[in-house]
Amino acid sequence: MVGARDSVQAEVHLIGQLLGGSGFPSTQLFCRWNIHTGGAWHHLEGLKEGQTQVDNPLLGDTAIWAHPIDVHYTVKGITGWPKLVVQVYSLDSFGRTDLCGYGFCNLPATPGAHRIDCVTWRPTGSLRDEFRQQFVGGGPQLRSPELVYTPLDRYRLQTVAMGTVHVQMNVILRNFEQYGIEY
């Protein structure tokens, strides 16, 4: 006979949106995003990655994306709690894209509505690279996007702070108490 604990799985439902980005040097911005989890997490439904539309704000420096996020997981262990990984790009008048910043934030582990500010950074090159980027575009980018959220070799990077991605996230936890986890 299968016990009640074996038939019930802990679940996490993340519902929210990428509100927008502010503080970036360019105005026409869009964001690529993904949710990274550990091996104990099983994706049930919803998109784990996506891209916003380009916004060119007429007033202020805040790009408004209002891009929805709705993803549902079952959980075998809390190791590898979800991280939101973002890459912000600018679009120039010729249709070229340039990296504006990388960033990540751990998503909240408590149920309820949360407002998160995800700060971003970009790698810097030599003085010549930075000068060329100002006039031609195309600055340095990471070969491996995993460096954004894993600290293995990130300490060797030279970076500069960029803008902030604003996130609104609602977290719904289900059946965690069956496994002795209180929140």
Side-chain angles (χ1 to χ4, degrees):
M1 182 168 175
V2 177
R5 184 175 177 181
D6 296 333
S7 63
V8 176
Q9 293 185 323
E11 298 177 35
V12 175
H13 203 141
L14 304 168
I15 305 169
Q17 61 181 320
L18 294 175
L19 296 170
S22 63
F24 292 95
S26 181
T27 57
Q28 293 191 39
L29 299 173
F30 68 95
C31 181
R32 292 183 182 146
W33 62 274
N34 68 63
I35 296 177
H36 177 77
T37 59
W41 292 72
H42 176 69
H43 175 248
L44 286 180
E45 58 188 344
L47 296 176
K48 297 188 296 184
E49 62 184 39
Q51 178 176 311
T52 69
Q53 82 281 355
V54 176
D55 185 36
N56 186 9
L58 297 176
L59 298 172
D61 73 338
T62 301
I64 305 297
W65 298 317
H67 183 80
I69 296 174
D70 186 354
V71 65
H72 190 184
Y73 292 98
T74 57
V75 183
K76 292 183 180 176
I78 58 173
T79 304
W81 195 267
K83 295 175 176 62
L84 177 66
V85 181
V86 296
Q87 297 175 16
V88 179
Y89 291 89
S90 66
L91 185 67
D92 69 11
S93 60
F94 299 107
R96 297 178 297 194
T97 59
D98 280 332
L99 174 72
C100 281
Y102 295 106
F104 84 94
C105 56
N106 292 309
L107 293 175
T110 56
H114 304 275
R115 176 84 186 238
I116 307 161
D117 288 332
C118 182
V119 295
T120 63
W121 51 271
R122 70 168 175 82
T124 59
S126 66
L127 184 59
R128 181 180 179 209
D129 293 336
E130 291 295 308
F131 186 73
R132 191 177 122 239
Q133 182 179 359
Q134 290 295 324
F135 294 101
V136 182
Q141 295 186 20
L142 298 177
R143 288 186 189 158
S144 175
E146 290 81 30
L147 283 176
V148 173
Y149 56 87
T150 55
L152 298 175
D153 291 328
R154 195 172 56 206
Y155 70 92
R156 288 193 255 172
L157 291 174
Q158 291 185 9
T159 63
V160 62
M162 298 303 283
T164 303
V165 174
H166 307 287
V167 181
Q168 180 268 320
M169 188 64 62
N170 297 300
V171 178
I172 301 170
L173 304 180
R174 184 171 175 219
N175 298 326
F176 274 76
E177 63 280 349
Q178 304 254 345
Y179 294 90
I181 299 173
E182 294 181 17
Y183 43 86

